[in-house]
Amino acid sequence: MIKIGKNIDGHYSHNLPVELILSQKLIFQGYAWISGGTMIETYRSTIDIGNFCVIGSGTMLKSESGIILGNLTRIAYCSTIMDTNVHFIKNTKTGKVNNSSAPISIGIGCWINAFSFISKGAILPNHCITARNSMVNKDYSTVCPPGTFLAGEPAKPIASNLQRIFSSQSEQHIREQFRLNGNPETITLSEEMLLTEESTEDLEAVFGYIY
């Protein structure tokens, strides 16, 4: 089920219409939520959105060479994923002109935080997290493992072995553990909780809910 124009994050831009400009294919691999104010343009190439993806309010995706979003990836509000500079720039001394576009690939279970900019040629390994206002502008699969936290302009690896918890049940349990322990700075998950992942059935129940 594809939900378009729903209020996912409460950002004011969710009241704006969703704009789809489709010269090429927009492919959904399964369930997806697209919040209001989003603009998706398949300019000269396809955009492939994985299963159980969420695209926040006011986000822009524009593809000239190809954009792939892995399953379970979440994009927070007002982010930009754009695989083209649109225009060319010349070197007035050498005469060289770089290609203005290159494909973007975002791995499984990534969390792209608000106001992030993902530019041409960017590749993110699975379960990576970007800080707000980060600029992701290269192939990070060659410099960082899955589960890396990236921040800055341009983005640099800050921490590793991290993964967002997407399960609402797990988050509720963890919030309760913080409360019961006096809201410490950190708690340690049990081995069972550490290995817990959302089941396909749970995800389908959430994404299939009509509201």
Side-chain angles (χ1 to χ4, degrees), residues 147-166:
T148 295
F149 178 68
L150 299 153
E153 299 181 12
K156 297 179 181 179
I158 302 298
S160 58
N161 300 314
L162 299 177
Q163 185 174 332
R164 179 179 158 174
I165 296 170
F166 289 119

Side-chain angles (χ1 to χ4, degrees), residues 3-210:
K3 293 183 179 180
I4 296 177
K6 295 294 184 181
N7 179 8
I8 294 169
D9 44 39
H11 189 265
Y12 65 84
S13 59
H14 81 266
N15 291 309
L16 299 172
V18 173
E19 186 174 5
L20 302 178
I21 306 172
L22 306 179
S23 301
Q24 303 295 326
K25 290 182 179 180
L26 173 61
I27 301 169
F28 292 95
Q29 299 294 344
Y31 292 87
W33 285 352
I34 300 174
S35 194
T38 297
M39 193 276 276
I40 299 177
E41 181 177 2
T42 55
Y43 177 45
R44 289 179 177 167
S45 189
T46 60
I47 295 176
D48 191 317
I49 298 175
N51 198 15
F52 304 121
C53 282
V54 175
I55 299 174
S57 305
T59 290
M60 183 176 79
L61 286 83
K62 183 170 183 174
S63 173
E64 184 173 322
S65 294
I67 295 172
I68 297 174
L69 305 183
N71 296 341
L72 295 166
T73 282
R74 310 287 176 97
I75 302 168
Y77 56 83
C78 296
S79 293
T80 299
I81 301 176
M82 191 169 172
D83 69 0
T84 176
N85 295 336
V86 182
H87 304 290
F88 293 103
I89 299 173
K90 66 182 178 182
N91 185 310
T92 57
K93 184 175 181 179
T94 66
K96 291 183 178 180
V97 177
N98 291 331
N99 199 330
S100 65
S101 67
I104 290 172
S105 179
I106 298 175
I108 295 169
C110 291
W111 184 21
I112 309 302
N113 265 297
F115 299 100
S116 291
F117 193 103
I118 315 296
S119 66
K120 70 181 182 81
I123 299 176
L124 279 179
N126 296 342
H127 303 295
C128 282
I129 300 171
T130 68
R132 290 188 178 202
N133 299 298
S134 294
M135 182 176 181
V136 179
N137 64 346
K138 65 181 182 181
D139 180 358
Y140 288 87
S141 68
T142 63
V143 295
C144 62
T148 295
F149 178 68
L150 299 153
E153 299 181 12
K156 297 179 181 179
I158 302 298
S160 58
N161 300 314
L162 299 177
Q163 185 174 332
R164 179 179 158 174
I165 296 170
F166 289 119
S167 167
S168 57
Q169 290 182 338
S170 294
E171 284 203 321
Q172 186 176 10
H173 174 79
I174 291 168
R175 191 170 287 110
E176 181 67 7
Q177 290 302 306
F178 273 102
R179 187 188 68 81
L180 292 172
N181 288 280
N183 289 313
E185 184 174 339
T186 305
I187 64 170
T188 301
L189 297 178
S190 66
E191 185 174 353
E192 180 182 2
M193 282 290 295
L194 187 63
L195 299 175
T196 297
E197 295 183 2
E198 290 177 299
S199 69
T200 299
E201 292 77 11
D202 290 341
L203 288 164
E204 287 177 347
V206 171
F207 276 76
Y209 177 65
I210 304 297

